[in-house]
Amino acid sequence: MRKINRHFFALLSLVLVISLSACSNSDDNGDTGDDGGGSSTTAKLVGEWEYIGYQDYEENKFYENSDECYGENIKINADGTGIFTVENCNTTPVASAFTWEKMSGSNYKLLLMGENMTVKITFPDGNNRLYLQYSDEEGYADVYQKQ
């Protein structure tokens, strides 16, 4: 259950981040975030993402999601909104709307299920993998693949 909640809040956080960035008054044209890619971190966020596992920074190891019955999908819209969906073989998929806002650098503020969260979003493996790290859990990041 903790794994589902952690992933749900990660997805929610991501959606919130996107929503908040879209609503900000800042100019994203020069924003490279922490990924060094030279393009807008906010622009990279927009799209559909599927949870593929998590990166453990303390062990410097990626753990692939091996649970065939568990899945997470995040749809991030340019207007600062999104949908976070959790799927489990034993239940009906649960979808939750969220909003996001860019704060500074790679930091975003998410609002999911009435809860505000601050997350760090980076793209260390290129534009097709999103790393979402909660501010209160710095030892790992949830990893999503762009669909």
Side-chain angles (χ1 to χ4, degrees), residues 71-135:
E72 291 178 13
N73 292 291
I74 304 172
K75 181 176 181 183
I76 301 173
N77 302 313
D79 67 355
T81 64
I83 299 289
F84 176 74
T85 305
V86 176
E87 299 178 22
N88 187 313
C89 292
N90 302 320
T91 62
T92 302
V94 176
S96 299
F98 66 91
T99 59
W100 61 271
E101 175 182 354
K102 183 168 178 89
M103 296 174 70
S104 65
S106 294
N107 296 313
Y108 292 81
K109 182 178 178 182
L110 303 178
L111 176 61
L112 176 66
M113 296 174 41
E115 185 173 337
N116 283 308
M117 296 172 236
T118 300
V119 298
K120 180 178 181 179
I121 297 176
T122 58
F123 301 88
D125 296 336
N127 297 344
N128 292 324
R129 283 203 175 173
L130 179 151
Y131 286 62
L132 189 148
Q133 186 175 16
Y134 292 97
S135 61

Short mmCIF file of all heavy atoms in Angstrom, two decimals, residues 71-135:
data_model
loop_
_atom_site.label_atom_id
_atom_site.label_comp_id
_atom_site.label_asym_id
_atom_site.label_seq_id
_atom_site.Cartn_x
_atom_site.Cartn_y
_atom_site.Cartn_z
N GLY A 71 0.58 -0.20 -12.00
CA GLY A 71 1.02 0.77 -12.99
C GLY A 71 0.57 2.17 -12.62
O GLY A 71 -0.44 2.36 -11.94
N GLU A 72 1.34 3.14 -13.06
CA GLU A 72 1.00 4.55 -12.87
C GLU A 72 1.19 5.26 -14.20
O GLU A 72 2.13 4.98 -14.93
CB GLU A 72 1.95 5.22 -11.88
CG GLU A 72 1.85 4.79 -10.48
CD GLU A 72 2.88 5.50 -9.61
OE1 GLU A 72 3.50 6.48 -10.04
OE2 GLU A 72 3.06 5.04 -8.48
N ASN A 73 0.28 6.16 -14.48
CA ASN A 73 0.39 6.99 -15.67
C ASN A 73 0.10 8.42 -15.28
O ASN A 73 -0.80 8.68 -14.48
CB ASN A 73 -0.59 6.54 -16.76
CG ASN A 73 -0.22 5.18 -17.30
OD1 ASN A 73 0.80 5.04 -17.97
ND2 ASN A 73 -1.01 4.18 -16.99
N ILE A 74 0.87 9.33 -15.85
CA ILE A 74 0.68 10.75 -15.60
C ILE A 74 0.51 11.44 -16.94
O ILE A 74 1.31 11.26 -17.84
CB ILE A 74 1.88 11.38 -14.89
CG1 ILE A 74 2.19 10.65 -13.59
CG2 ILE A 74 1.64 12.86 -14.63
CD1 ILE A 74 3.49 11.09 -12.95
N LYS A 75 -0.55 12.22 -17.04
CA LYS A 75 -0.74 13.07 -18.22
C LYS A 75 -0.55 14.50 -17.74
O LYS A 75 -1.29 14.98 -16.88
CB LYS A 75 -2.12 12.89 -18.84
CG LYS A 75 -2.30 13.74 -20.07
CD LYS A 75 -3.62 13.52 -20.76
CE LYS A 75 -3.70 14.38 -22.00
NZ LYS A 75 -4.98 14.26 -22.66
N ILE A 76 0.44 15.18 -18.31
CA ILE A 76 0.77 16.55 -17.90
C ILE A 76 0.43 17.49 -19.06
O ILE A 76 0.94 17.32 -20.17
CB ILE A 76 2.25 16.66 -17.52
CG1 ILE A 76 2.55 15.70 -16.37
CG2 ILE A 76 2.60 18.09 -17.16
CD1 ILE A 76 4.02 15.59 -16.03
N ASN A 77 -0.41 18.45 -18.77
CA ASN A 77 -0.85 19.42 -19.77
C ASN A 77 -0.10 20.74 -19.64
O ASN A 77 0.30 21.12 -18.54
CB ASN A 77 -2.35 19.66 -19.63
CG ASN A 77 -3.15 18.39 -19.77
OD1 ASN A 77 -2.93 17.60 -20.67
ND2 ASN A 77 -4.07 18.17 -18.83
N ALA A 78 0.06 21.44 -20.74
CA ALA A 78 0.77 22.71 -20.75
C ALA A 78 0.05 23.80 -19.96
O ALA A 78 0.66 24.78 -19.56
CB ALA A 78 0.99 23.18 -22.19
N ASP A 79 -1.24 23.62 -19.71
CA ASP A 79 -2.02 24.63 -18.99
C ASP A 79 -1.91 24.52 -17.48
O ASP A 79 -2.64 25.18 -16.75
CB ASP A 79 -3.48 24.59 -19.42
CG ASP A 79 -4.21 23.32 -19.00
OD1 ASP A 79 -3.57 22.40 -18.43
OD2 ASP A 79 -5.43 23.23 -19.24
N GLY A 80 -1.00 23.67 -16.96
CA GLY A 80 -0.82 23.54 -15.52
C GLY A 80 -1.75 22.53 -14.88
O GLY A 80 -1.91 22.53 -13.66
N THR A 81 -2.36 21.68 -15.67
CA THR A 81 -3.24 20.65 -15.13
C THR A 81 -2.70 19.28 -15.54
O THR A 81 -1.80 19.17 -16.36
CB THR A 81 -4.68 20.79 -15.66
OG1 THR A 81 -4.68 20.59 -17.08
CG2 THR A 81 -5.26 22.16 -15.32
N GLY A 82 -3.30 18.25 -14.98
CA GLY A 82 -2.93 16.91 -15.36
C GLY A 82 -3.81 15.88 -14.70
O GLY A 82 -4.69 16.21 -13.89
N ILE A 83 -3.56 14.62 -15.07
CA ILE A 83 -4.30 13.49 -14.51
C ILE A 83 -3.27 12.44 -14.08
O ILE A 83 -2.40 12.07 -14.86
CB ILE A 83 -5.26 12.86 -15.54
CG1 ILE A 83 -6.29 13.85 -16.03
CG2 ILE A 83 -5.93 11.61 -14.96
CD1 ILE A 83 -7.34 14.22 -15.00
N PHE A 84 -3.41 11.96 -12.85
CA PHE A 84 -2.56 10.90 -12.34
C PHE A 84 -3.44 9.68 -12.18
O PHE A 84 -4.47 9.72 -11.51
CB PHE A 84 -1.96 11.32 -11.00
CG PHE A 84 -1.15 10.25 -10.34
CD1 PHE A 84 0.10 9.92 -10.81
CD2 PHE A 84 -1.64 9.58 -9.24
CE1 PHE A 84 0.85 8.93 -10.20
CE2 PHE A 84 -0.90 8.60 -8.62
CZ PHE A 84 0.35 8.27 -9.10
N THR A 85 -3.04 8.56 -12.81
CA THR A 85 -3.84 7.34 -12.76
C THR A 85 -3.01 6.21 -12.19
O THR A 85 -1.87 5.98 -12.61
CB THR A 85 -4.32 6.95 -14.18
OG1 THR A 85 -5.03 8.04 -14.74
CG2 THR A 85 -5.23 5.75 -14.12
N VAL A 86 -3.59 5.50 -11.22
CA VAL A 86 -2.97 4.33 -10.63
C VAL A 86 -3.80 3.13 -11.01
O VAL A 86 -5.03 3.14 -10.87
CB VAL A 86 -2.88 4.44 -9.09
CG1 VAL A 86 -2.33 3.17 -8.48
CG2 VAL A 86 -2.04 5.63 -8.69
N GLU A 87 -3.13 2.09 -11.52
CA GLU A 87 -3.82 0.86 -11.93
C GLU A 87 -3.29 -0.31 -11.12
O GLU A 87 -2.10 -0.39 -10.85
CB GLU A 87 -3.59 0.61 -13.42
CG GLU A 87 -4.12 1.71 -14.29
CD GLU A 87 -3.85 1.47 -15.77
OE1 GLU A 87 -3.64 0.30 -16.16
OE2 GLU A 87 -3.83 2.44 -16.52
N ASN A 88 -4.21 -1.20 -10.76
CA ASN A 88 -3.88 -2.40 -10.02
C ASN A 88 -4.79 -3.50 -10.53
O ASN A 88 -5.98 -3.26 -10.75
CB ASN A 88 -4.09 -2.15 -8.52
CG ASN A 88 -3.61 -3.29 -7.67
OD1 ASN A 88 -3.88 -4.46 -7.93
ND2 ASN A 88 -2.88 -2.94 -6.62
N CYS A 89 -4.27 -4.69 -10.71
CA CYS A 89 -5.07 -5.80 -11.25
C CYS A 89 -6.33 -6.08 -10.44
O CYS A 89 -7.32 -6.58 -10.96
CB CYS A 89 -4.23 -7.07 -11.32
SG CYS A 89 -2.90 -7.02 -12.52
N ASN A 90 -6.29 -5.79 -9.16
CA ASN A 90 -7.39 -6.13 -8.26
C ASN A 90 -8.43 -5.04 -8.10
O ASN A 90 -9.44 -5.25 -7.44
CB ASN A 90 -6.84 -6.51 -6.88
CG ASN A 90 -5.87 -7.66 -6.96
OD1 ASN A 90 -6.08 -8.62 -7.71
ND2 ASN A 90 -4.79 -7.58 -6.21
N THR A 91 -8.20 -3.87 -8.68
CA THR A 91 -9.13 -2.77 -8.50
C THR A 91 -9.33 -2.02 -9.81
O THR A 91 -8.58 -2.17 -10.76
CB THR A 91 -8.61 -1.76 -7.45
OG1 THR A 91 -7.38 -1.21 -7.92
CG2 THR A 91 -8.42 -2.41 -6.10
N THR A 92 -10.33 -1.18 -9.83
CA THR A 92 -10.57 -0.30 -10.96
C THR A 92 -9.53 0.81 -10.93
O THR A 92 -9.19 1.30 -9.86
CB THR A 92 -11.98 0.33 -10.84
OG1 THR A 92 -12.94 -0.73 -10.77
CG2 THR A 92 -12.29 1.24 -11.99
N PRO A 93 -8.98 1.22 -12.08
CA PRO A 93 -8.01 2.33 -12.09
C PRO A 93 -8.58 3.57 -11.41
O PRO A 93 -9.76 3.89 -11.55
CB PRO A 93 -7.77 2.58 -13.58
CG PRO A 93 -8.11 1.30 -14.25
CD PRO A 93 -9.23 0.71 -13.43
N VAL A 94 -7.72 4.24 -10.66
CA VAL A 94 -8.11 5.46 -9.95
C VAL A 94 -7.39 6.64 -10.59
O VAL A 94 -6.16 6.66 -10.66
CB VAL A 94 -7.74 5.37 -8.46
CG1 VAL A 94 -8.06 6.67 -7.74
CG2 VAL A 94 -8.42 4.19 -7.80
N ALA A 95 -8.17 7.60 -11.08
CA ALA A 95 -7.61 8.79 -11.72
C ALA A 95 -7.89 10.02 -10.86
O ALA A 95 -9.00 10.18 -10.36
CB ALA A 95 -8.20 8.98 -13.11
N SER A 96 -6.87 10.84 -10.68
CA SER A 96 -7.00 12.06 -9.88
C SER A 96 -6.44 13.24 -10.66
O SER A 96 -5.33 13.17 -11.19
CB SER A 96 -6.25 11.93 -8.56
OG SER A 96 -6.77 10.88 -7.79
N ALA A 97 -7.21 14.31 -10.71
CA ALA A 97 -6.75 15.53 -11.37
C ALA A 97 -5.78 16.26 -10.44
O ALA A 97 -5.88 16.17 -9.22
CB ALA A 97 -7.94 16.42 -11.71
N PHE A 98 -4.84 16.98 -11.04
CA PHE A 98 -3.91 17.78 -10.25
C PHE A 98 -3.55 19.05 -11.01
O PHE A 98 -3.83 19.18 -12.19
CB PHE A 98 -2.64 16.98 -9.89
CG PHE A 98 -1.78 16.63 -11.07
CD1 PHE A 98 -0.76 17.47 -11.47
CD2 PHE A 98 -1.99 15.46 -11.76
CE1 PHE A 98 0.05 17.14 -12.55
CE2 PHE A 98 -1.20 15.12 -12.83
CZ PHE A 98 -0.18 15.96 -13.23
N THR A 99 -2.89 19.96 -10.30
CA THR A 99 -2.36 21.17 -10.92
C THR A 99 -0.89 21.26 -10.54
O THR A 99 -0.44 20.68 -9.55
CB THR A 99 -3.10 22.44 -10.45
OG1 THR A 99 -2.97 22.56 -9.03
CG2 THR A 99 -4.57 22.40 -10.83
N TRP A 100 -0.13 21.98 -11.35
CA TRP A 100 1.29 22.14 -11.09
C TRP A 100 1.73 23.56 -11.40
O TRP A 100 1.11 24.27 -12.16
CB TRP A 100 2.12 21.14 -11.88
CG TRP A 100 1.98 21.27 -13.37
CD1 TRP A 100 1.07 20.66 -14.17
CD2 TRP A 100 2.77 22.07 -14.23
NE1 TRP A 100 1.24 21.03 -15.48
CE2 TRP A 100 2.29 21.90 -15.55
CE3 TRP A 100 3.85 22.94 -14.03
CZ2 TRP A 100 2.85 22.55 -16.65
CZ3 TRP A 100 4.40 23.58 -15.13
CH2 TRP A 100 3.90 23.37 -16.42
N GLU A 101 2.85 23.94 -10.76
CA GLU A 101 3.42 25.27 -10.98
C GLU A 101 4.94 25.17 -10.82
O GLU A 101 5.44 24.55 -9.89
CB GLU A 101 2.86 26.24 -9.94
CG GLU A 101 3.47 27.61 -9.99
CD GLU A 101 2.92 28.52 -8.90
OE1 GLU A 101 1.98 28.13 -8.18
OE2 GLU A 101 3.45 29.65 -8.77
N LYS A 102 5.65 25.79 -11.73
CA LYS A 102 7.11 25.82 -11.63
C LYS A 102 7.50 26.85 -10.59
O LYS A 102 7.00 27.97 -10.58
CB LYS A 102 7.73 26.17 -12.98
CG LYS A 102 9.24 26.15 -12.93
CD LYS A 102 9.81 26.20 -14.32
CE LYS A 102 11.31 26.22 -14.27
NZ LYS A 102 11.90 24.90 -14.27
N MET A 103 8.43 26.48 -9.72
CA MET A 103 8.89 27.40 -8.70
C MET A 103 10.23 28.02 -9.12
O MET A 103 10.30 29.20 -9.38
CB MET A 103 8.99 26.68 -7.36
CG MET A 103 7.63 26.20 -6.87
SD MET A 103 7.71 25.21 -5.39
CE MET A 103 8.17 26.44 -4.19
N SER A 104 11.28 27.22 -9.17
CA SER A 104 12.59 27.69 -9.62
C SER A 104 13.43 26.48 -10.01
O SER A 104 13.27 25.40 -9.44
CB SER A 104 13.30 28.48 -8.52
OG SER A 104 13.58 27.63 -7.42
N GLY A 105 14.30 26.67 -10.99
CA GLY A 105 15.15 25.58 -11.44
C GLY A 105 14.32 24.37 -11.82
O GLY A 105 13.44 24.44 -12.67
N SER A 106 14.56 23.25 -11.14
CA SER A 106 13.82 22.02 -11.39
C SER A 106 12.77 21.75 -10.31
O SER A 106 12.25 20.65 -10.22
CB SER A 106 14.80 20.84 -11.44
OG SER A 106 15.65 20.96 -12.55
N ASN A 107 12.47 22.75 -9.50
CA ASN A 107 11.50 22.59 -8.41
C ASN A 107 10.11 23.02 -8.84
O ASN A 107 9.94 24.07 -9.46
CB ASN A 107 11.94 23.40 -7.19
CG ASN A 107 13.24 22.90 -6.62
OD1 ASN A 107 13.43 21.70 -6.44
ND2 ASN A 107 14.16 23.80 -6.36
N TYR A 108 9.15 22.17 -8.48
CA TYR A 108 7.76 22.41 -8.84
C TYR A 108 6.87 22.23 -7.63
O TYR A 108 7.19 21.49 -6.70
CB TYR A 108 7.31 21.43 -9.93
CG TYR A 108 7.97 21.66 -11.25
CD1 TYR A 108 9.24 21.18 -11.51
CD2 TYR A 108 7.32 22.37 -12.25
CE1 TYR A 108 9.86 21.39 -12.74
CE2 TYR A 108 7.92 22.59 -13.47
CZ TYR A 108 9.19 22.09 -13.71
OH TYR A 108 9.78 22.31 -14.92
N LYS A 109 5.74 22.90 -7.68
CA LYS A 109 4.73 22.79 -6.63
C LYS A 109 3.54 22.08 -7.25
O LYS A 109 3.07 22.46 -8.32
CB LYS A 109 4.33 24.17 -6.13
CG LYS A 109 3.33 24.16 -5.02
CD LYS A 109 3.05 25.58 -4.56
CE LYS A 109 2.01 25.61 -3.47
NZ LYS A 109 1.72 27.00 -3.07
N LEU A 110 3.06 21.03 -6.57
CA LEU A 110 1.91 20.26 -7.05
C LEU A 110 0.77 20.36 -6.06
O LEU A 110 0.99 20.44 -4.86
CB LEU A 110 2.29 18.79 -7.20
CG LEU A 110 3.45 18.44 -8.10
CD1 LEU A 110 3.69 16.93 -8.09
CD2 LEU A 110 3.19 18.91 -9.51
N LEU A 111 -0.43 20.31 -6.59
CA LEU A 111 -1.62 20.24 -5.76
C LEU A 111 -2.42 19.04 -6.22
O LEU A 111 -2.97 19.03 -7.33
CB LEU A 111 -2.46 21.52 -5.88
CG LEU A 111 -3.79 21.51 -5.11
CD1 LEU A 111 -3.54 21.32 -3.61
CD2 LEU A 111 -4.57 22.78 -5.38
N LEU A 112 -2.41 18.00 -5.37
CA LEU A 112 -3.09 16.75 -5.69
C LEU A 112 -3.93 16.33 -4.49
O LEU A 112 -3.43 16.27 -3.38
CB LEU A 112 -2.06 15.66 -6.01
CG LEU A 112 -2.59 14.26 -6.27
CD1 LEU A 112 -3.42 14.21 -7.55
CD2 LEU A 112 -1.44 13.27 -6.38
N MET A 113 -5.18 16.07 -4.76
CA MET A 113 -6.10 15.64 -3.71
C MET A 113 -6.05 16.57 -2.50
O MET A 113 -6.04 16.14 -1.36
CB MET A 113 -5.82 14.20 -3.31
CG MET A 113 -6.06 13.23 -4.45
SD MET A 113 -5.61 11.51 -4.18
CE MET A 113 -6.12 11.17 -2.54
N GLY A 114 -5.99 17.87 -2.76
CA GLY A 114 -5.99 18.86 -1.70
C GLY A 114 -4.68 19.01 -0.95
O GLY A 114 -4.61 19.76 0.02
N GLU A 115 -3.64 18.32 -1.38
CA GLU A 115 -2.36 18.38 -0.70
C GLU A 115 -1.32 19.07 -1.57
O GLU A 115 -1.14 18.71 -2.74
CB GLU A 115 -1.87 16.97 -0.35
CG GLU A 115 -0.61 16.98 0.47
CD GLU A 115 -0.22 15.59 0.95
OE1 GLU A 115 -1.09 14.72 1.05
OE2 GLU A 115 0.97 15.40 1.22
N ASN A 116 -0.64 20.09 -1.00
CA ASN A 116 0.45 20.78 -1.70
C ASN A 116 1.74 20.01 -1.47
O ASN A 116 2.02 19.58 -0.35
CB ASN A 116 0.63 22.21 -1.16
CG ASN A 116 -0.41 23.14 -1.71
OD1 ASN A 116 -0.61 23.21 -2.91
ND2 ASN A 116 -1.09 23.84 -0.82
N MET A 117 2.52 19.85 -2.54
CA MET A 117 3.81 19.15 -2.47
C MET A 117 4.84 19.92 -3.26
O MET A 117 4.51 20.55 -4.26
CB MET A 117 3.70 17.76 -3.08
CG MET A 117 2.77 16.82 -2.39
SD MET A 117 2.61 15.35 -3.40
CE MET A 117 0.84 15.36 -3.57
N THR A 118 6.08 19.81 -2.82
CA THR A 118 7.19 20.36 -3.59
C THR A 118 8.01 19.17 -4.09
O THR A 118 8.34 18.28 -3.31
CB THR A 118 8.06 21.27 -2.72
OG1 THR A 118 7.26 22.35 -2.23
CG2 THR A 118 9.22 21.84 -3.53
N VAL A 119 8.30 19.17 -5.38
CA VAL A 119 9.07 18.08 -5.98
C VAL A 119 10.16 18.65 -6.88
O VAL A 119 10.08 19.79 -7.32
CB VAL A 119 8.17 17.13 -6.81
CG1 VAL A 119 7.13 16.46 -5.94
CG2 VAL A 119 7.51 17.86 -7.96
N LYS A 120 11.16 17.83 -7.10
CA LYS A 120 12.23 18.17 -8.04
C LYS A 120 12.07 17.24 -9.24
O LYS A 120 11.98 16.03 -9.08
CB LYS A 120 13.60 17.97 -7.40
CG LYS A 120 14.75 18.31 -8.31
CD LYS A 120 16.07 18.15 -7.58
CE LYS A 120 17.23 18.51 -8.48
NZ LYS A 120 18.51 18.38 -7.78
N ILE A 121 12.05 17.81 -10.44
CA ILE A 121 11.90 17.03 -11.65
C ILE A 121 13.10 17.28 -12.54
O ILE A 121 13.43 18.42 -12.86
CB ILE A 121 10.60 17.38 -12.39
CG1 ILE A 121 9.41 17.04 -11.51
CG2 ILE A 121 10.54 16.67 -13.73
CD1 ILE A 121 8.07 17.43 -12.07
N THR A 122 13.77 16.19 -12.91
CA THR A 122 14.94 16.28 -13.77
C THR A 122 14.84 15.25 -14.89
O THR A 122 14.00 14.35 -14.86
CB THR A 122 16.24 16.05 -12.97
OG1 THR A 122 16.18 14.77 -12.34
CG2 THR A 122 16.45 17.14 -11.94
N PHE A 123 15.71 15.41 -15.87
CA PHE A 123 15.76 14.53 -17.04
C PHE A 123 17.21 14.10 -17.28
O PHE A 123 17.78 14.36 -18.33
CB PHE A 123 15.20 15.25 -18.27
CG PHE A 123 13.80 15.71 -18.11
CD1 PHE A 123 13.51 16.95 -17.56
CD2 PHE A 123 12.76 14.90 -18.50
CE1 PHE A 123 12.20 17.36 -17.41
CE2 PHE A 123 11.44 15.31 -18.36
CZ PHE A 123 11.16 16.55 -17.80
N PRO A 124 17.84 13.41 -16.31
CA PRO A 124 19.26 13.08 -16.44
C PRO A 124 19.58 12.10 -17.56
O PRO A 124 20.72 12.03 -18.02
CB PRO A 124 19.62 12.49 -15.07
CG PRO A 124 18.34 12.02 -14.50
CD PRO A 124 17.29 12.94 -15.04
N ASP A 125 18.60 11.33 -18.01
CA ASP A 125 18.81 10.36 -19.08
C ASP A 125 18.30 10.85 -20.43
O ASP A 125 18.11 10.07 -21.35
CB ASP A 125 18.11 9.03 -18.75
CG ASP A 125 18.69 8.36 -17.52
OD1 ASP A 125 19.86 8.63 -17.19
OD2 ASP A 125 17.98 7.56 -16.89
N GLY A 126 18.01 12.13 -20.54
CA GLY A 126 17.45 12.68 -21.77
C GLY A 126 15.98 13.01 -21.61
O GLY A 126 15.41 12.86 -20.54
N ASN A 127 15.37 13.44 -22.69
CA ASN A 127 13.99 13.94 -22.64
C ASN A 127 12.93 12.86 -22.46
O ASN A 127 11.78 13.18 -22.21
CB ASN A 127 13.67 14.71 -23.92
CG ASN A 127 14.54 15.94 -24.06
OD1 ASN A 127 15.17 16.39 -23.11
ND2 ASN A 127 14.59 16.48 -25.26
N ASN A 128 13.28 11.60 -22.59
CA ASN A 128 12.28 10.54 -22.54
C ASN A 128 12.11 9.90 -21.18
O ASN A 128 11.26 9.04 -21.00
CB ASN A 128 12.59 9.47 -23.59
CG ASN A 128 12.41 10.00 -24.98
OD1 ASN A 128 11.51 10.79 -25.25
ND2 ASN A 128 13.27 9.58 -25.89
N ARG A 129 12.93 10.30 -20.21
CA ARG A 129 12.79 9.78 -18.84
C ARG A 129 12.73 10.94 -17.87
O ARG A 129 13.59 11.80 -17.85
CB ARG A 129 13.96 8.87 -18.47
CG ARG A 129 13.83 7.51 -19.09
CD ARG A 129 14.62 6.49 -18.32
NE ARG A 129 14.37 5.18 -18.89
CZ ARG A 129 15.00 4.11 -18.52
NH1 ARG A 129 15.92 4.19 -17.58
NH2 ARG A 129 14.71 2.95 -19.06
N LEU A 130 11.69 10.90 -17.05
CA LEU A 130 11.45 11.94 -16.06
C LEU A 130 11.73 11.37 -14.67
O LEU A 130 11.22 10.30 -14.34
CB LEU A 130 10.00 12.39 -16.18
CG LEU A 130 9.49 13.45 -15.24
CD1 LEU A 130 8.38 14.22 -15.94
CD2 LEU A 130 8.96 12.86 -13.96
N TYR A 131 12.56 12.06 -13.89
CA TYR A 131 12.87 11.66 -12.52
C TYR A 131 12.14 12.62 -11.58
O TYR A 131 12.38 13.82 -11.64
CB TYR A 131 14.37 11.72 -12.26
CG TYR A 131 15.14 10.60 -12.90
CD1 TYR A 131 15.17 10.43 -14.28
CD2 TYR A 131 15.86 9.70 -12.12
CE1 TYR A 131 15.88 9.40 -14.87
CE2 TYR A 131 16.58 8.66 -12.69
CZ TYR A 131 16.59 8.52 -14.07
OH TYR A 131 17.29 7.50 -14.66
N LEU A 132 11.28 12.06 -10.74
CA LEU A 132 10.48 12.86 -9.82
C LEU A 132 10.92 12.55 -8.40
O LEU A 132 10.82 11.41 -7.95
CB LEU A 132 9.00 12.53 -10.01
CG LEU A 132 8.03 13.45 -9.28
CD1 LEU A 132 6.76 13.58 -10.08
CD2 LEU A 132 7.74 12.94 -7.90
N GLN A 133 11.43 13.58 -7.71
CA GLN A 133 11.96 13.40 -6.36
C GLN A 133 11.19 14.30 -5.40
O GLN A 133 11.13 15.51 -5.57
CB GLN A 133 13.44 13.75 -6.36
CG GLN A 133 14.14 13.49 -5.07
CD GLN A 133 15.64 13.74 -5.19
OE1 GLN A 133 16.11 14.38 -6.12
NE2 GLN A 133 16.38 13.25 -4.23
N TYR A 134 10.58 13.69 -4.38
CA TYR A 134 9.87 14.45 -3.36
C TYR A 134 10.86 15.16 -2.45
O TYR A 134 11.92 14.61 -2.15
CB TYR A 134 8.97 13.54 -2.52
CG TYR A 134 7.83 12.96 -3.28
CD1 TYR A 134 7.90 11.69 -3.83
CD2 TYR A 134 6.68 13.71 -3.50
CE1 TYR A 134 6.85 11.17 -4.55
CE2 TYR A 134 5.62 13.20 -4.23
CZ TYR A 134 5.71 11.92 -4.75
OH TYR A 134 4.68 11.40 -5.47
N SER A 135 10.50 16.35 -2.01
CA SER A 135 11.41 17.13 -1.17
C SER A 135 11.69 16.46 0.17
O SER A 135 12.76 16.65 0.74
CB SER A 135 10.84 18.54 -0.94
OG SER A 135 9.60 18.46 -0.26
#
